[in-house]
Amino acid sequence: MTKHIFVTGGVVSSLGKGLTSASIGLLLEERGLRVRLQKLDPYLNVDPGTMSPYQHGEVYVLDDGTETDLDLGHYERFTHATLNKDCNYTTGKIYLSVIEKERRGDYKGKTVQVIPHVTDEIKSCIRKMVAPDVDVVITEIGGTVGDIEGMPYFEAIRQFALDVGKHNCLFVHLTLVPYLKAAGELKTKPTQRSVRDLREIGIQPDILICRTERDIPKDECEKIALFCNVERNAVIEEKDKEFSIYEVPLSLADNKLDELVVEKLALTQARPLDMSAWRTMLDRMRAPAHEVTIGFVGKYVKHRDAYKSVYESIDHAGIANNAKVRVVRIESDKLAEEGAAQALAGVDGLLVPGGFDKRGIEGKIDAIRFARETGLPFFGICLGLQCATIEFARNVAGLDGANSTEFDKVSPHPVVCLLEEQVNVTNLGGTQRLGAYPCHLVPGTKARAAYGVDVVSERHRHRYEVNNAYREKLSAAGLVFSGTSPSGDLVEAIELPNHPWFVAVQAHPEFLSKPTKSHPLFRDFVGASLARRLGKKPVAVVMK
Ligand code: GLN
C-alpha cells in the first residue's frame, strides 16, 4: 500500500519546501524505501516553460520532455525517484484538463465546479503517483497556506486523506520562526497563525518543520507544539545552513525526522538509516584540497535560480575533483563592453550556459574566442554550443557575418538554423525539441573520453541546431563533431582537438548531475580548469 506525505508551507514563500521534500525523499530512500515525488503548483501557466527565468528560475526538463519547476531538480539530485509528466501539475494544467472534459461532455450536463470537479482532478493527479513499486509518494504544494490560488489544493489533499485513510497520509508543514533583533527573541506567532490557517481548512499537521536562523529553545518548541496541537517530538527544527544545501537532510536526520515519518506511517519494512554515502560526499566538499575559478558568462547571472542546475553541477564537479569551485558570474552584455581579456582575467575555465534571444550573444562569442585562442578550458551548453559554432565559423573558417537565424534572419552564413520540425511551429508552450534523446559519440574525442561509453542519453530544450549545410566547411577548418544523433543528422557535441579542453553540447547535461555522482562533462571541464590552474596537463578523473 502506497503511503502519502503532503508538504505544505506557511508564513512566507521561499522557505525551501522543495529542498525539504527532496530531503525527506533521500532519508526514506536511505532507509530502503522507494519514493516518488510530485509538485503541485497553484499558478495558471500550464507549465513554467513559457516563464522568464526572472519569474520562476530555471525551467527543469525531465526525460519525457516535461518542462517543470526547478524543485524537481532537487528531487532528482537527492533521490533516485523516476519523474515524469505526472510529477508536476499546475492550476493551468488541471483546469485545461477539466475544461477539455467539460467540452467533451464528460460531466454529463452537470454544473462544473471547483468542488468537486477541480478537487477530483487534483486528487486523480495525486493517485497517478501510486504504484506497486512505490512505498511513499511525497507531494509538495507550491505557495503558502492562505493563498487564494492554493485553496483547491489544500481542499483536495484534505479530502484525499479521508479517501485513503488518515493513517496512510502525513501532513508536514514547513514554517518560519523568525528572530527579531530588537526583541532579541525568536517569534512563534507566525507559525501558530499559519497552522491555524491550515486547521481552518480542516488539515491538522502531523509534523512541523520550523526554519530558523537560531536554535529554537526547548520551551519555545513546547509552546509551538501546544498552540499548534502537534506532539512535542513532531516539532522539528531546520536551522539555516550556511555551508551547503546538502547539509539539510543530515540535520533533519539528526532531529529524527525519518524516525517520525516511519513511525507515523507505520513503514515497518524500513531498515535503519544509512547516510554514509551522503556524509562522505559532504566530507569531501568540506575539505577540498584545491581551489579553482570558473568564469560563467550568461544573461541572467544576477538571479541565482536562473541557472540552478548548472551551478549545482559545477559544485558536484568540484566534489569529484576535490576542489572548491569559485564561480565568477559575468553578465554577457557587460563582457562585450569590458572586453573578454579583462572580464575573464584570473579565471581557470569558461562556461557558457543555455539561453534564448539576441541580447548578450556578442559578449558570449567574444568570451569563447578568448577561451579558444588562449587555451582556456571551455564548456558550452546548448546556446553555448551554438555560440561556439558561430565564433569558429566567423574567426577560424572565415565565414564573415556567420550567425544563428535566431539572432540574424538574413545572415550570409546561417551556421545555426531552425530545426526542421520547428519551422511551422507557432505556439510557444511545450513545442521545443524537449527531453531525452540519444547521442552517438565519436571515438578518440574528449566527449567520448569523459562519458566512457559510445552512446549516451541527454535531455534537450532547444529549437535551433547546427546547420548541416556548413558541417563540411567547419570540419575542414578543424572543428570536430564529436557527438551526433543516431542517424547523424543532428549535431549533439563539438570540440577542438588542439586545445586543452574545448567541448560544447547541444543538450543540457546539468539535468543529470548528482552531488554523489558528478556529470562526466562537468567533471572533466572542472578537472581541465584545475589542471590549468595547477599548471598540469588535464587528466580524466575517475570517481570512486
Ligand atoms: N535559443 C537556442 C535554441 O532555441 C538555445 C536554447 C537553449 O540554450 N536552451 O536552440
Side-chain angles (χ1 to χ4, degrees):
M1 166 102 199
T2 305
K3 307 279 172 120
H4 294 267
I5 298 177
F6 294 101
V7 180
T8 58
V11 184
V12 290
S13 59
S14 305
L15 279 183
K17 282 196 302 293
L19 267 176
T20 302
S21 305
S23 300
I24 296 173
L26 169 70
L27 293 181
L28 295 183
E29 275 196 350
E30 300 299 15
R31 293 205 59 161
L33 298 163
R34 298 157 304 172
V35 300
R36 280 193 92 181
L37 293 102
Q38 175 186 48
K39 177 149 193 211
L40 306 179
D41 272 314
Y43 53 74
L44 274 166
N45 304 61
V46 172
D47 61 44
T50 52
M51 283 193 231
S52 152
Y54 284 125
Q55 287 281 306
H56 208 256
E58 112 186 324
V59 176
Y60 189 81
V61 181
L62 303 179
D63 268 347
D64 69 0
T66 311
E67 296 174 283
T68 72
D69 183 81
L70 55 76
D71 278 329
L72 277 82
H74 292 310
Y75 302 169
E76 288 206 319
R77 286 186 284 273
F78 281 62
T79 75
H80 298 89
T82 318
L83 305 187
N84 64 16
K85 64 176 184 2
D86 294 326
C87 298
N88 193 192
Y89 281 92
T90 66
T91 299
K93 207 160 158 183
I94 304 256
Y95 271 73
L96 197 62
S97 168
V98 169
I99 290 166
E100 275 166 8
K101 285 183 186 165
E102 185 273 334
R103 293 287 83 183
R104 276 202 308 265
D106 290 5
Y107 295 114
K108 302 201 185 319
K110 291 215 175 82
T111 306
V112 181
Q113 296 181 296
V114 173
I115 304 172
H117 301 102
V118 170
T119 45
D120 279 354
E121 190 72 27
I122 296 171
K123 287 195 285 179
S124 81
C125 297
I126 300 167
R127 270 195 300 272
K128 283 183 192 156
M129 298 281 97
V130 174
D133 62 347
V134 179
D135 298 313
V136 183
V137 172
I138 301 167
T139 298
E140 174 191 348
I141 312 294
T144 309
V145 61
D147 294 349
I148 290 176
E149 57 181 16
M151 289 300 187
Y153 294 91
F154 287 94
E155 171 61 15
I157 60 175
R158 181 192 69 76
Q159 293 176 16
F160 192 92
L162 277 188
D163 294 350
V164 301
K166 185 62 204 60
H167 57 289
N168 292 316
C169 295
L170 200 63
F171 290 103
V172 176
H173 189 57
L174 184 66
T175 74
L176 177 72
V177 178
Y179 177 75
L180 276 199
K181 235 197 230 147
E185 277 175 5
L186 284 166
K187 290 292 178 192
T188 65
K189 190 76 82 194
T191 294
Q192 296 175 37
R193 304 287 299 230
S194 89
V195 172
R196 198 175 73 188
D197 284 347
L198 259 186
R199 294 174 69 194
E200 244 168 44
I201 307 168
I203 297 173
Q204 167 62 54
D206 301 293
I207 298 175
L208 282 181
I209 301 184
C210 303
R211 279 289 306 271
T212 172
E213 48 179 291
R214 308 199 168 205
D215 292 330
I216 308 177
K218 250 172 98 194
D219 53 342
E220 293 300 314
C221 285
E222 272 155 22
K223 188 164 143 194
I224 292 171
L226 183 68
F227 280 87
C228 298
N229 195 32
V230 171
E231 289 159 26
R232 167 63 191 90
N233 69 342
V235 178
I236 304 257
E237 174 187 291
E238 187 186 319
K239 216 169 138 190
D240 295 353
K241 294 283 162 282
E242 261 152 44
F243 174 66
S244 166
I245 54 169
Y246 298 126
E247 292 177 301
V248 172
L250 288 179
S251 89
L252 292 175
D254 287 345
N255 292 326
K256 308 220 179 322
L257 179 63
D258 62 301
E259 282 179 25
L260 209 57
V261 172
V262 164
E263 181 200 304
K264 285 190 181 291
L265 284 177
L267 296 160
T268 45
Q269 70 274 46
R271 58 166 199 232
L273 184 67
D274 176 9
M275 292 295 282
S276 52
W278 200 262
R279 260 182 225 284
T280 308
M281 176 273 290
L282 261 170
D283 289 345
R284 287 179 74 129
M285 204 171 176
R286 279 204 191 92
H290 310 288
E291 211 183 296
V292 61
T293 304
I294 300 299
F296 184 101
V297 178
K299 204 159 68 164
Y300 304 106
V301 291
K302 287 205 191 102
H303 195 294
R304 263 204 84 93
D305 280 351
Y307 305 103
K308 184 91 194 152
S309 296
V310 183
Y311 293 137
E312 292 297 314
S313 303
I314 294 174
D315 281 349
H316 306 162
I319 300 170
N321 282 284
N322 201 6
K324 170 160 181 48
V325 189
R326 213 168 64 84
V327 178
V328 181
R329 293 182 273 159
I330 305 160
E331 218 166 305
S332 35
D333 283 341
K334 287 233 176 76
L335 187 135
E337 286 164 27
E338 202 179 326
Q342 196 177 331
L344 297 173
V347 309
D348 307 306
L350 165 69
L351 194 152
V352 177
F356 296 83
D357 300 329
K358 196 171 174 172
R359 184 169 74 76
I361 289 302
E362 293 305 324
K364 291 177 187 171
I365 291 172
D366 289 352
I368 296 169
R369 178 177 192 162
F370 178 80
R372 179 178 55 76
E373 291 179 343
T374 60
L376 183 70
F378 162 71
F379 186 23
I381 296 176
C382 206
L383 181 64
L385 172 139
Q386 296 173 1
C387 288
T389 307
I390 296 167
E391 191 281 319
F392 187 88
R394 286 184 192 171
N395 303 320
V396 182
L399 301 169
D400 286 346
N403 216 327
S404 162
T405 53
E406 183 179 6
F407 317 127
D408 181 1
K409 295 261 175 300
V410 294
S411 164
H413 296 295
V415 290
V416 176
C417 62
L418 258 192
L419 283 154
E420 209 177 296
E421 72 215 32
Q422 290 289 329
V423 175
N424 295 317
V425 169
T426 48
N427 256 2
L428 274 190
T431 55
Q432 302 188 60
R433 180 175 183 238
L434 288 166
Y437 286 94
C439 160
H440 285 221
L441 298 161
V442 175
T445 58
K446 292 188 182 78
R448 170 68 182 74
Y451 282 107
V453 287
D454 294 326
V455 184
V456 292
S457 170
E458 291 284 359
R459 297 178 186 173
H460 294 67
R461 183 171 186 254
H462 65 119
R463 290 185 203 284
Y464 293 81
E465 61 162 334
V466 172
N467 186 344
N468 285 334
Y470 282 91
R471 263 161 80 173
E472 232 175 83
K473 275 203 182 95
L474 294 171
S475 81
L479 189 66
V480 169
F481 297 103
S482 46
T484 63
S485 56
S487 65
D489 286 351
L490 299 177
V491 171
E492 291 286 3
I494 61 168
E495 61 186 69
L496 291 178
N498 301 316
H499 186 287
W501 210 88
F502 189 105
V503 178
V505 289
Q506 186 59 74
H508 288 272
E510 70 270 25
F511 297 142
L512 294 182
S513 189
K514 284 177 189 276
T516 44
K517 196 171 192 301
S518 166
H519 187 286
L521 291 177
F522 279 93
R523 182 200 62 204
D524 282 9
F525 163 61
V526 169
S529 307
L530 180 61
R532 177 182 167 95
R533 167 95 161 212
L534 301 174
K536 291 188 189 150
K537 251 181 87 155
V539 281
V541 191
V542 181
M543 268 292 265
K544 275 178 248 128

